[in-house]
Amino acid sequence: MRILSTATALAALVLATPALADAKFTGFIEKTLWPRVKAAGFSRDLFDEAFAGITEPDPAVLKLANNQPEFNSKTSEYLAKAVTPARIQTGQTAVANDGALLAAIEKKYGVSRYALLGIWGIESNFGKDLGSMSVMRSLATLIYSGRKTQYANEQLIAAFRILQKGIRKPDHFTGSWAAAMGHTQFIPTSYLSYAQDWTGDGQKDIWGSKEDALASTAHYLAKSGWKNDRPWGFEVKLPKGFNRALIGRKTWKTIGDWQKLGLARADGAA
């Protein structure tokens, strides 16, 4: 009979012992999140099932929340990383393989198949990376840390509605650090509002069905005012002395108004 050395035995004990829970985090779940979820009409059993095994905030969530490349990179840098030759090739293959599906979705919703492919490719690399982080842990971490609290609180209640409907089981309820889910990364509120059952199997399955996911995305864009006869945008040149306070999502003007301010297309077109 072999006897383990003291060091080996201790190492084995450490490996076999679950990580200690973060008492403050578990207390936050119980004392802060449970009253909110209860007030929204959900049962204690569902709450316990949703947070089973979640005892610590997810450090990856905070790291990713602080380093979103679309906000921290120049457009050219972001595109160089996101729109790679390999991704373009995969998209072209999808056009060939899923042409009939894309054409049917485009016909029903009036949304360009190429816009859908672009979103699918950027959001999950055409379904290869759906996100493996716990939706409930991600949202709890954001609220606990004080990051995006209004967003996360709203998504938390929507996530419980998804669980209550039985659409997804807690142990398979996964997505990104921001709780974006499935092939085209729907957040819970958007899923509840726009998800579609394209296959007709009774499930709006944006995780396992590319058909449902692409139709849901087209429906979302159509309801958001998508117009197929409009370009996605233009690269423009700014005039000297341009008021840079006008740059950003909060300032909206017609193309004519921007032209009056001296903006012109970079390629010289009208």
Side-chain angles (χ1 to χ4, degrees):
M1 179 178 179
R2 297 180 62 187
I3 300 177
L4 294 174
S5 68
T6 302
T8 304
L10 288 173
L13 179 62
V14 169
L15 290 173
T17 303
L20 294 176
D22 183 326
K24 290 184 178 180
F25 186 65
T26 55
F28 165 79
I29 290 175
E30 178 63 31
K31 297 177 182 179
T32 301
L33 296 189
W34 165 237
R36 295 177 187 174
V37 172
K38 180 181 179 181
F42 300 102
S43 71
R44 180 71 204 201
D45 286 345
L46 181 62
F47 181 83
D48 289 342
E49 189 179 2
F51 282 104
I54 298 176
T55 60
E56 295 179 306
D58 190 337
V61 168
L62 299 179
K63 182 179 179 180
L64 292 168
N66 290 327
N67 189 36
Q68 291 180 252
E70 57 268 39
F71 297 140
N72 296 328
S73 303
K74 294 180 179 178
T75 302
S76 57
E77 294 171 342
Y78 177 74
L79 290 175
K81 294 178 180 179
V83 188
T84 62
R87 186 163 286 175
I88 292 171
Q89 179 60 52
T90 305
Q92 291 171 339
T93 300
V95 171
N97 294 341
D98 298 309
L101 168 66
L102 292 163
I105 292 175
E106 181 178 305
K107 181 178 180 180
K108 179 172 181 177
Y109 296 104
V111 174
S112 165
R113 69 193 73 181
Y114 302 107
L116 296 178
L117 283 167
I119 293 170
W120 191 20
I122 291 296
E123 295 296 347
S124 71
N125 197 15
F126 302 98
K128 295 179 182 178
D129 184 12
L130 303 183
S132 58
M133 304 173 80
S134 164
V135 167
M136 307 312 291
R137 188 184 183 194
S138 293
L139 293 173
T141 298
L142 289 173
I143 300 169
Y144 178 70
S145 67
R147 295 297 310 274
K148 303 179 182 294
T149 52
Q150 182 176 349
Y151 162 84
N153 274 309
E154 182 180 18
Q155 300 311 314
L156 182 73
I157 299 305
F160 268 99
R161 290 200 176 96
I162 292 172
L163 293 177
Q164 187 180 54
K165 291 175 181 289
I167 296 166
R168 205 73 174 164
K169 296 295 184 182
D171 55 347
H172 289 92
F173 198 25
T174 55
S176 74
W177 66 266
M181 310 171 297
H183 281 260
T184 51
Q185 297 291 279
F186 270 61
I187 59 176
T189 50
S190 293
Y191 174 89
L192 291 174
S193 296
Y194 302 108
Q196 299 289 290
D197 175 19
W198 181 266
T199 60
D201 64 356
Q203 299 291 327
K204 298 175 181 179
D205 185 7
I206 62 171
W207 298 268
S209 168
K210 64 184 176 183
E211 295 86 356
D212 285 2
L214 292 172
S216 298
T217 306
H219 183 234
Y220 170 85
L221 292 173
K223 291 296 184 180
S224 299
W226 178 274
K227 303 294 182 184
N228 252 356
D229 61 349
R230 310 283 177 87
W232 71 267
F234 302 116
E235 183 181 4
V236 298
K237 290 182 178 180
L238 302 181
K240 291 182 179 180
F242 181 76
N243 178 9
R244 291 181 174 270
L246 296 176
I247 297 175
R249 300 181 182 184
K250 294 182 179 180
T251 304
W252 292 79
K253 296 182 182 295
T254 65
I255 291 178
D257 288 337
W258 288 120
Q259 285 180 301
K260 291 176 182 177
L261 291 172
L263 272 70
R265 281 184 56 159
D267 61 8

